[in-house]
Amino acid sequence: MNFALKMFRGAACTALAALTGSIIYYNCALPDNYCVAEGGSLIINEHIEVRSDRIIPESYDIEASENTIFSASSMKGAVAERTEQLRLFGVFPIKNVNVTEVSEPVVVPCGTPFGIKLLTEGVLVVELTGFDNGGGVTSPAREAGINEGDIIISISGKTVSSNKDVSRIIGESGGRTLGVELVRDGESRVVFLKPDKSAADDTYHAGMWVRDSSAGIGTITFYDPSTKIFAGLGHPVCDSDTGEMLTMSSGEAADVYISGIKKSSAGSPGELIGMFTSDKSCGSLVLNSECGIYGYMDKCPSMVSAVPVAMRQEIKTGEAFIYATVDGSSPKKYSVEIEKVDLKASEAGKNMVVRITDERLLDKAGGIVQGMSGSPIIQDGKLVGAVTHVFVRDPTRGYAIFADTMLECAENAAG
């Protein structure tokens, strides 16, 4: 009898510990704020990545508090705010969360390729070099404390927006010390640069290479006919040498034609090969952000019908499809599997893991390739996200960003 009682108590303690651990885990792992469609209920379809040693319910029972607060909200389209309580198994309280009702947004999913022509704000330092001044090798930029990845805004009080501006000011300096205003890790600072004369050409140099523009190919995720704004990539446009996000001063979108593809393989991500089909722009770029690139187009670049944008808690693991263009200029529909949904991912472009299941795309591209970033993901008739990154070791799989995150960025870009 005593043995049985001890066994029961031991099992009860183990179950209580597991239950407490699960509650603590979900309290940290689940977001504090949610959006739902106007008049809708908060239903969390999927869990974030789950450890095998947890007791995992198949679904959460969400109980709303009685008090619903109708008020103005900073979120566009918000009509009401309320507090609800998340409960494990519909019984054990996890935490209270804020729920905002919004008018259900509707956009046109695209999957259309587009060219990116981007001018940076200031110039980006991509490499520090040395040169012979007749007495040895020197690098004035390095000695001044300039680093690769810095964005130079002005030199000697003169705004610079191109590498020609930098070369001219340095060349005309006569070797005088120049104040250089730059931005590093989002903070402004001033360093002092003393150009030196090169023995090779008898002109003054700083010992650095800078870049003032970038061009490439990406995929448009969606277009909003009501604002004429479009969203693409799902991740920022970064410098190819430093990996730093480019601070954009202006930019253009252009029509492109996908003429070929370098197939992905394990350890070697492929890429789309395309060409700009016109010198004229088809849109303007207004924002380069961690959540993608955004701009305006007068015409919708897609013939696909408009669909609602899913709230992140609506997304579930399982079957879905993407629109992607891997040849020509028109997107096709390809099947994928959503393998993981992380409601509280720390990086915006890594909210989901998707796997390409369509044999046509696997045969042609090997999975995900560079240039497919921004390909919209559709599940249950709603836009749920966009492909962002390929897994280098397994190009059949990659990360994706939530569509509601991109929509919020688009609304901010539209002002």
Side-chain angles (χ1 to χ4, degrees):
M1 182 70 178
N2 289 337
F3 177 75
L5 182 59
K6 288 181 180 180
M7 289 289 292
F8 175 77
R9 287 177 177 173
C13 289
T14 300
L16 180 60
L19 178 63
T20 302
S22 294
I23 291 174
I24 294 173
Y25 174 70
Y26 286 124
N27 182 279
C28 297
L30 291 171
D32 296 323
N33 300 287
Y34 295 86
C35 291
V36 299
E38 184 176 357
S41 301
L42 174 58
I43 300 174
I44 300 177
N45 281 331
E46 282 295 330
H47 316 296
I48 60 174
E49 184 177 15
V50 177
R51 290 172 48 181
S52 60
D53 59 343
R54 299 295 188 201
I55 297 176
I56 306 303
E58 295 201 359
S59 63
Y60 292 109
D61 289 327
I62 307 299
E63 295 185 6
S65 64
E66 295 181 0
N67 187 26
T68 298
I69 306 170
F70 288 85
S71 63
S73 171
S74 60
M75 182 170 292
K76 295 185 179 182
V79 294
E81 295 177 350
R82 65 178 186 265
T83 300
E84 296 191 10
Q85 188 177 69
L86 301 184
R87 292 175 178 266
L88 188 61
F89 302 115
V91 176
F92 304 103
I94 298 173
K95 63 178 175 179
N96 291 333
V97 296
N98 301 313
V99 180
T100 302
E101 290 189 23
V102 298
S103 301
E104 187 171 53
V106 176
V107 298
V108 179
C110 298
T112 315
F114 75 116
I116 301 167
K117 299 178 180 179
L118 187 148
L119 293 177
T120 60
E121 181 180 346
V123 296
L124 178 71
V125 180
V126 296
E127 185 179 0
L128 298 177
T129 61
F131 59 89
D132 185 4
N133 64 359
V137 176
T138 184
S139 177
R142 182 178 284 111
E143 293 168 6
I146 295 174
N147 294 341
E148 293 178 1
D150 287 346
I151 300 171
I152 297 177
I153 304 299
S154 68
I155 301 176
S156 193
K158 300 174 182 178
T159 300
V160 294
S161 58
S162 69
N163 46 20
K164 290 183 179 180
D165 290 340
V166 175
S167 296
R168 176 178 51 79
I169 295 172
I170 298 297
E172 295 174 354
S173 68
R176 298 186 305 275
T177 299
L178 307 173
V180 179
E181 180 188 1
L182 56 84
V183 176
R184 180 183 300 162
D185 298 328
E187 296 183 0
S188 298
R189 61 181 69 193
V190 175
V191 299
F192 295 94
L193 170 71
K194 183 175 176 57
D196 205 349
K197 187 176 287 188
S198 169
D201 59 12
D202 200 36
T203 59
Y204 287 95
H205 294 271
M208 62 181 178
W209 290 99
V210 299
R211 180 172 294 148
D212 57 16
S213 62
S214 179
I217 292 175
T219 299
I220 299 175
T221 305
F222 66 79
Y223 179 82
D224 185 345
S226 65
T227 61
K228 295 187 177 181
I229 199 163
F230 72 91
L233 297 189
H235 63 70
V237 177
C238 297
D239 180 74
S240 58
D241 292 310
T242 67
E244 297 290 327
M245 182 175 75
L246 295 176
T247 303
M248 186 179 72
S249 62
S250 63
E252 295 180 346
D255 293 324
V256 297
Y257 182 88
I258 305 302
S259 56
I261 189 168
K262 178 183 176 182
K263 192 173 180 178
S264 284
S265 60
S268 179
E271 62 179 333
L272 297 179
I273 301 170
M275 56 185 178
F276 289 71
T277 58
S278 173
D279 292 333
K280 297 181 179 179
S281 69
C282 62
S284 60
L285 304 179
V286 296
L287 177 66
N288 182 35
S289 76
E290 294 290 350
C291 302
I293 194 161
Y294 301 83
Y296 289 94
M297 287 183 176
D298 288 333
K299 296 181 180 179
C300 180
S302 173
M303 298 297 290
V304 177
S305 299
V307 299
V309 175
M311 307 303 174
R312 62 189 63 187
Q313 69 273 6
E314 297 180 83
I315 307 169
K316 58 190 178 184
T317 56
E319 294 181 357
F321 67 85
I322 64 172
Y323 287 113
T325 304
V326 293
D327 56 62
S329 56
S330 300
K332 292 183 175 64
K333 185 176 172 181
Y334 299 101
S335 61
V336 300
E337 176 102 2
I338 299 176
E339 294 188 331
K340 172 186 168 184
V341 181
D342 189 340
L343 295 181
K344 208 174 181 182
S346 58
E347 294 184 57
K350 298 182 178 180
N351 305 129
M352 296 178 281
V353 173
V354 298
R355 180 170 57 89
I356 305 298
T357 58
D358 198 299
E359 291 297 332
R360 296 172 300 159
L361 189 55
L362 292 172
D363 289 342
K364 190 172 186 64
I368 300 169
V369 298
Q370 297 176 64
M372 280 174 58
S373 294
S375 298
I377 306 169
I378 310 296
Q379 185 181 66
D380 296 334
K382 293 187 177 184
L383 176 66
V384 299
V387 175
T388 55
H389 302 84
V390 58
F391 289 178
V392 175
R393 294 184 178 180
D394 180 8
T396 66
R397 301 166 70 234
Y399 284 116
I401 187 174
F402 289 139
D404 62 3
T405 298
M406 293 187 71
L407 181 65
E408 186 176 356
C409 286
E411 291 176 344
N412 292 335

